[in-house]
Amino acid sequence: MTATETKVRVIEHPLVQKTLTRLRDLHTPSHEFRALSQRLSYFLVYESMKDLGVRNIGVETPVGPGQGVELTDYIILAPVLRAGLILAEAAQQLFPNVRIYHIGLKRDEETLEARSYYAKLPESLPPDCRVFVLDPMLATGGSSVAALQLFADLGIKGINLVNFVCAPEGIAKVHKHFPDTRITTASIDEKLNEVGYIVPGLGDAGDRIFGT
Ligand code: PRP
Ligand code: URA
């Protein structure tokens, strides 16, 4: 396994790949795009959390005593606005009591630099908390690096990034700045085009999810 393969998990499951294919299709209308994005979000969030910590507990079934587990990790979701909201919605259905810190970033379409317009994080976090930065698209990596930096400033390492689609350029940038970031994605695409869009990608995720 290469260093990249250990840090980037591409989920090859047929249901994930079929859903991604429908998302890529330019003929998929916005209402269907949103529903498919939510489905893909469930799959990817589920996969990204496969190594969460658990503690053994007893459970009383209608038939008698059994053994089970409960989660032990302090989980934080950090959706990058706007498009990351779709991943957060799905994750919140899996973990109704999870803590969510929204991060507002907008990519300047001329310079491709991410500009921050909202970030409300606590002054401190438990050092062993599990942070999941959620954003469907990892293109140049500017937005993800800015989001990861907010948590790095609070001393949090080994953050998880969940994306529908990644460009190789974005993965390289994230790992240059934060080598211990673990990425869960449905695809590593070919490249970025001259205006910073992922090729083949799926277009503008935010616009397609919200019909703008
Ligand atoms: C998109 C996308 C990512 C970012 C990726 O958001 O949802 O956040 O671009 O690009 P990068 O890796 O080159 O930074 P955008 O800034 O367009 O905001 P939006 O979700 O509000 O449309
Ligand atoms: N943001 C998107 O929504 N899509 C891309 O391909 C690149 C950035």
Side-chain angles (χ1 to χ4, degrees):
M1 235 188 222
T2 66
T4 302
E5 280 166 343
T6 59
K7 292 183 205 163
V8 185
R9 280 186 64 227
V10 179
I11 310 303
E12 304 284 3
H13 192 290
L15 290 181
V16 167
Q17 293 305 319
K18 168 188 177 293
T19 307
L20 176 61
T21 305
R22 294 287 302 130
L23 287 176
R24 290 191 192 280
D25 189 335
L26 87 154
H27 299 296
T28 300
S30 182
H31 69 274
E32 192 186 343
F33 190 92
R34 191 176 157 71
L36 291 163
S37 294
Q38 187 144 39
R39 184 180 308 164
L40 186 59
S41 296
Y42 282 124
F43 295 145
L44 295 179
V45 167
Y46 172 85
E47 285 289 343
S48 73
M49 296 190 173
K50 72 193 283 260
D51 67 343
L52 285 183
V54 293
R55 172 171 44 228
N56 292 326
I57 56 166
V59 59
E60 235 8 89
T61 82
V63 183
Q67 279 296 311
V69 298
E70 63 183 5
L71 300 180
T72 53
D73 284 330
Y74 187 106
I75 301 168
I76 290 175
L77 305 179
V80 176
L81 303 177
R82 292 173 294 169
L85 287 174
I86 198 84
L87 278 149
E89 253 175 56
Q92 198 174 16
Q93 296 207 3
L94 298 172
F95 301 98
N97 295 325
V98 79
R99 299 151 198 90
I100 303 186
Y101 293 106
H102 296 89
I103 298 174
L105 291 164
K106 178 75 194 129
R107 193 170 81 145
D108 181 316
E109 294 302 336
E110 303 259 301
T111 63
L112 301 183
E113 300 282 322
R115 188 177 48 77
S116 166
Y117 61 88
Y118 182 80
K120 194 162 181 289
L121 266 59
E123 280 174 15
S124 67
L125 286 169
D128 57 351
C129 67
R130 301 292 304 275
V131 175
F132 294 81
V133 171
L134 309 174
D135 190 339
M137 308 306 279
L138 174 59
T140 66
S143 303
S144 292
V145 166
L148 292 165
Q149 186 64 55
L150 293 171
F151 289 97
D153 291 345
L154 296 175
I156 310 301
K157 298 195 175 80
I159 294 172
N160 296 273
L161 194 53
V162 185
N163 311 111
F164 293 179
V165 179
C166 302
E169 295 90 331
I171 294 173
K173 180 161 180 162
V174 162
H175 284 146
K176 176 169 167 239
H177 290 267
F178 301 107
D180 53 2
T181 305
R182 288 185 292 268
I183 299 176
T184 304
T185 185
S187 179
I188 302 175
D189 274 12
E190 196 187 321
K191 60 178 182 180
L192 293 177
N193 69 11
E194 59 289 352
V195 288
Y197 270 73
I198 302 174
V199 180
L202 47 76
D204 189 309
D207 281 353
R208 293 192 73 189
I209 289 168
F210 297 108
T212 50

